Amino acid sequence: MTYEVQYLETGLYPLIAGILAIFFAGFKAWQVMQAPAGNKEMNEIAKAIQEGARAFLKVEYSYLAIFLAILYVLISAAIDWRTGICYLVGAACSAVCGYVGMTIATYANVRTAAAAERGLNPALSVAFSSGAVMGMSVVGIALAGLSVLYLIFDNLHSFGSDGYLPGFGMGATSVSLFTRVGGGIYTKAADVG
């Protein structure tokens, strides 16, 4: 097997797996959205929660963009511009996952509560489907993002642990850390207020 064929297969198979995971997450999201959303009062509360979550993410991501831009410049200057690009791609993948997770969680909350009126099993089915959306989104988007970077930066030796891969991981971790800490503060404030 030639290097070109092996390289292409090494990059394409994970990309296809990532795309399949994203499609599966979309299917599970569709299933969650098909569940009954409860009565009018439940929907009013759910709408307020959804609006608050979107507003929170908008503000958080605007501050996060400044932080990411500064780190991109520092990483590109100190290490390599390709590592900086991988950092931004990892951050973008993580931000998309965060948005998908927050969106499906806010839509699933009211549907889980409505399903709980029918019993534990229907409620768990909606809740687990919602969790599967987030889980498969993280796996699929990360795998697809890494595969695309691998196909773009085709030097096998420069992509591994001593090359651009840590940039992707640091970008994804930066966004994840900010959203986890910020989300925790937001939910505690919502509980108190």
Side-chain angles (χ1 to χ4, degrees):
M1 183 178 294
T2 66
Y3 168 75
E4 291 79 17
V5 172
Q6 183 181 7
Y7 156 74
L8 194 58
E9 287 179 355
T10 304
L12 281 181
Y13 291 149
L15 179 60
I16 292 167
I19 291 169
L20 289 174
I22 293 168
F23 276 116
F24 182 75
F27 171 71
K28 295 306 278 183
W30 176 81
Q31 280 186 325
V32 169
M33 297 304 288
Q34 298 309 305
N39 59 38
K40 182 180 177 185
E41 185 178 343
M42 292 170 76
N43 281 294
E44 288 173 2
I45 294 168
K47 185 177 179 188
I49 292 169
Q50 291 160 4
E51 289 172 1
R54 274 193 293 274
F56 163 73
L57 280 180
K58 183 178 178 182
V59 171
E60 184 179 41
Y61 281 5
S62 65
Y63 284 108
L64 188 55
I66 296 167
F67 173 77
L68 295 174
I70 292 169
L71 274 181
Y72 165 73
V73 170
L74 292 174
I75 290 169
S76 295
I79 301 173
D80 184 66
W81 68 269
R82 290 172 286 241
T83 305
I85 294 293
C86 291
Y87 174 81
L88 287 181
V89 172
C93 288
S94 185
V96 168
C97 290
Y99 184 81
V100 167
M102 180 76 88
T103 301
I104 195 64
T106 56
Y107 283 109
N109 286 344
V110 68
R111 287 165 171 78
T112 302
E117 292 177 336
R118 298 189 316 270
L120 183 61
N121 283 341
L124 286 175
S125 177
V126 174
F128 281 121
S129 291
S130 168
V133 171
M134 182 60 184
M136 294 306 286
S137 293
V138 168
V139 170
I141 291 171
L143 202 50
L146 282 170
S147 298
V148 167
L149 288 173
Y150 177 80
L151 290 169
I152 291 171
F153 302 125
D154 61 353
N155 185 349
L156 289 171
H157 303 293
S158 65
F159 192 74
S161 62
D162 59 342
Y164 312 126
L165 186 58
F168 182 92
M170 186 175 171
T173 303
S174 296
V175 172
S176 175
L177 177 66
F178 267 85
T179 54
R180 186 169 295 127
V181 170
I185 293 168
Y186 172 76
T187 55
K188 292 301 175 207
D191 290 343
V192 173

